[in-house]
Amino acid sequence: MLRAGGIVLGGSLVSGSATAADGDGATTLTVLSYNDIQTAAAEDKKFPRLVTLIEQRRAAADGPVVVVGGGDEVGPHALSPVSQWRAPVDVLNEVEPDADVIGNHEFDYGLDPISDVTADSEFPWLATNLVDSETGEAFDGTESVRIVERGGVKVGLIGLVDEGATFGKTNIKFNEEGLTLEEYTETGPAEAKRLKEDEGVDAVVALAHTGIGDAEALAEADADDDIDAIVVGDDEQFYPPEEVDGSIVSEARARARYLSEIELTIDGGEVTAFDGELIEVTDDIEKDPTASDIINEYRGEVSLDSVIVETETPLDATFGSNYHRETNYGNVVTDAMRERVDADVAITNAGGIRSDSVYGPGEITGGDIFNTLPFPNTVVSLELTGEELVETLESQVVTLESDTGQNFGEEISQQTSGLRFEWVPHDDADEPIRDVYVDGEPLDPEETYEVAVNSFIANGGSGYPLDDKPVEDTGELQATTVVNYLEEKDTIAPTVEGRMQRVDRDLPDAAVTVDGNGKVVSQFDAPDDVQSVAEDTVAVWTPEGDHVDAEKVVFDEEDETLVVRVDDGNLADTIEDADDGDEVALDIYAEYESSEYDHIYFERSRLNADVSATVRRRGRGLGSAGPPGR
């Protein structure tokens, strides 16, 4: 799933250069690759243009060409519920690739249908290190290796996956199904050596559905440099061809946006030089008419182009947003789920929201929704105690200090409805999830709550601890639930409501009086790592999600104090349902520059103060601060 990576402007970038001049008997082998087609398979947009680009680059090559994929081609996409793998496979059959690698999304339809996928494919699917536990051979429908002889060059192709792209991203219990996942850093180099020594291949290309980091580890483990090129899939990065420990590594981002082209100079049976680039699939490239016809024929079966609602605000279905924070589209999805089963709470996994795109403002079609929710997951409900609900939320917190956090930043990795809570993304946090409210009321650890989720996470997907819970399955696709929810509305304008509040450091608690007159002022001792405070980010929030921006913020770096001033009248309006004498729990949130935390995704760190507000509906005078926040 793209959760980080480079941004490219323009058509293509060159990475790498020839390291030796072509000899008289040298041959240039061109390796063209794509990966993670996913949602593009259901759209008559980039995918047909990619097909054309592949044919253009084949024709332009000065020597033999092999075309390969990096996995995750047959799902997820908006046509999955009706065509399953067939739409992308039908298009790829037109491309006639030499091989592809089984990735985690090839298992979207289960383990047994893999043989159906491979049977419908006019090209081989490789699984070199995912093997039958008894025989050690490729499991049903797949191949261990493929050798291609073309233009006097013999090329060995192997397909590798890692644990994260199998056990970590599917609900299949491979060991129980009689499959063994061998260590890719051992099987890959060993098989490459066998191909060169026993089969006499001139070059070995590994199709590695592992992500860039693990592909680099594969290159490092290949001590004798038998793997010449590593075509990568899974983490969907923009990674132009680059030499890493003797192998050329490349990933063409995802969703048919780029084509990777690697030119290997082969002289005397060895790779002596390389050149390469990622070529952008632009709208200037004509669509392949056969590919367009295939996609549109499938689309016509399910009326994906029908308008269901109009949105006044852009709907954010990007990976970067949905993994890291609350989004307005995540709110739409979970609100629809919660309404569908009349639940207290709804949760969906960030990885289940696909397409990595923004929709609107404007008309939203059924195809847009199925693009963003392309899995055949249904909406289910289950019961959790308050304590179990917290454990469920905690299962998705990725800390800044973790390996994933160091690569992609801290993550909350889910979207929710009916909930408001704080999450603390640090290894030393006593409570990664805290201050939880359900429908505006503090969570009761012993209370039982009805929770709507999708069937994938109900079965333990994405690490959710739910696979032992009895469920009631609606049998309705998650995408259908959202479509039905939106069709009842003329227009929508969803916003971010403060459902999931990130907190890095705490300010002292404070107490204030709110009577609707004057100003409410609180002063705090600031943590040692605060260097400056972004004044326009400071606000007071209620448990219901209403907030009032601070009208004055003063941070004294020398005294390490922070003063926050809010208009009392505005604050009183946000808690207008409170009676005289009531105490209302409020929160102050503020972003700040930290001397300790070096964030990957977020621009700044975040402070929180718990504020107890006593309501006075009688009398006049300043809304004075109670005991200062010291």
Side-chain angles (χ1 to χ4, degrees), residues 310-556:
E310 185 167 338
T311 179
E312 297 176 358
T313 55
L315 302 181
D316 188 353
T318 61
F319 284 130
S321 297
N322 280 279
Y323 269 95
H324 291 90
R325 57 180 177 82
E326 173 196 350
T327 67
N328 67 341
Y329 187 60
N331 291 347
V332 168
V333 172
T334 51
D335 286 351
M337 295 167 61
R338 184 162 66 101
E339 181 180 285
R340 174 64 177 82
V341 297
D342 193 25
D344 302 302
V345 170
I347 304 170
T348 198
N349 55 315
I353 298 176
R354 311 302 289 189
S355 88
D356 198 28
S357 301
V358 176
Y359 297 84
E363 295 179 338
I364 302 299
T365 67
D368 294 332
I369 303 304
F370 273 86
N371 261 348
T372 61
L373 301 169
F375 296 105
N377 298 327
T378 56
V379 175
V380 307
S381 64
L382 47 82
E383 291 185 344
L384 297 177
T385 66
E387 183 178 359
E388 290 172 332
L389 180 55
V390 171
E391 291 173 356
T392 299
L393 296 172
E394 285 180 349
S395 72
Q396 301 306 297
V397 175
V398 175
T399 64
L400 177 62
E401 295 80 13
S402 67
D403 290 342
T404 300
Q406 286 299 293
N407 282 315
F408 302 109
E410 60 268 57
E411 297 177 346
I412 188 58
S413 305
Q414 59 197 326
Q415 298 294 316
T416 65
S417 176
L419 282 171
R420 299 193 186 279
F421 60 88
E422 295 173 352
W423 59 287
V424 186
H426 298 291
D427 286 347
D428 60 357
D430 293 331
E431 297 178 289
I433 298 292
R434 65 186 200 183
D435 289 359
V436 183
Y437 287 81
V438 178
D439 195 24
E441 296 295 326
L443 175 135
D444 183 344
E446 298 181 358
E447 180 70 31
T448 298
Y449 298 95
E450 192 79 13
V451 182
V453 297
N454 66 53
S455 53
F456 174 72
I457 65 178
N459 290 324
S462 292
Y464 280 93
L466 301 175
D467 56 348
D468 60 343
K469 307 297 181 186
V471 303
E472 291 189 17
D473 195 332
T474 65
E476 184 174 272
L477 290 171
Q478 186 179 21
T480 300
T481 293
V482 176
V483 168
N484 292 341
Y485 173 79
L486 292 176
E487 281 183 329
E488 296 179 357
K489 308 175 187 299
D490 294 326
T491 60
I492 59 173
T495 60
V496 173
E497 304 171 357
R499 298 182 182 187
M500 303 185 295
Q501 300 277 13
R502 175 177 59 98
V503 174
D504 293 289
R505 290 287 190 194
D506 288 315
L507 296 166
D509 295 347
V512 299
T513 300
V514 177
D515 64 7
N517 299 291
K519 310 295 178 184
V520 174
V521 181
S522 291
Q523 178 174 312
F524 305 92
D525 290 331
D528 293 340
D529 68 317
V530 179
Q531 296 178 311
S532 63
V533 175
E535 298 181 16
D536 61 346
T537 69
V538 182
V540 180
W541 288 76
T542 72
E544 292 74 30
D546 297 319
H547 71 278
V548 177
D549 293 332
E551 62 177 19
K552 183 70 173 179
V553 177
V554 178
F555 172 66
D556 190 313

Side-chain angles (χ1 to χ4, degrees), residues 21-28 265-268 272:
D22 292 357
D24 292 338
T27 301
T28 299
T265 301
I266 298 179
D267 195 356
T272 59

Side-chain angles (χ1 to χ4, degrees), residues 2 4-8 13 236-240 251-253 258 278:
L2 174 62
I7 298 174
V8 62
L13 291 180
E236 307 175 18
Q237 291 199 43
F238 178 89
Y239 196 95
E251 186 172 18
R253 202 167 183 181
Y258 293 90
L278 292 187

Side-chain angles (χ1 to χ4, degrees), residues 42-120:
E43 298 180 308
D44 184 21
K45 296 179 181 178
K46 293 290 186 183
F47 199 12
R49 300 185 197 281
L50 174 65
V51 175
T52 297
L53 180 60
I54 290 172
E55 291 310 305
Q56 289 176 346
R57 299 313 299 164
R58 264 185 172 138
D62 183 19
V65 179
V66 294
V67 178
V68 293
D72 276 8
E73 322 298 2
V74 303
H77 56 83
L79 292 169
S80 294
V82 289
S83 83
Q84 297 178 303
W85 59 85
R86 295 177 182 86
V89 164
D90 287 353
V91 174
L92 289 175
N93 284 340
E94 296 298 315
V95 173
E96 297 182 331
D98 293 288
D100 212 313
V101 59
I102 295 289
N104 52 288
H105 284 303
E106 272 66 54
F107 294 105
D108 282 355
Y109 315 102
L111 177 60
D112 291 340
I114 289 291
S115 59
D116 296 322
V117 173
T118 59
D120 286 344

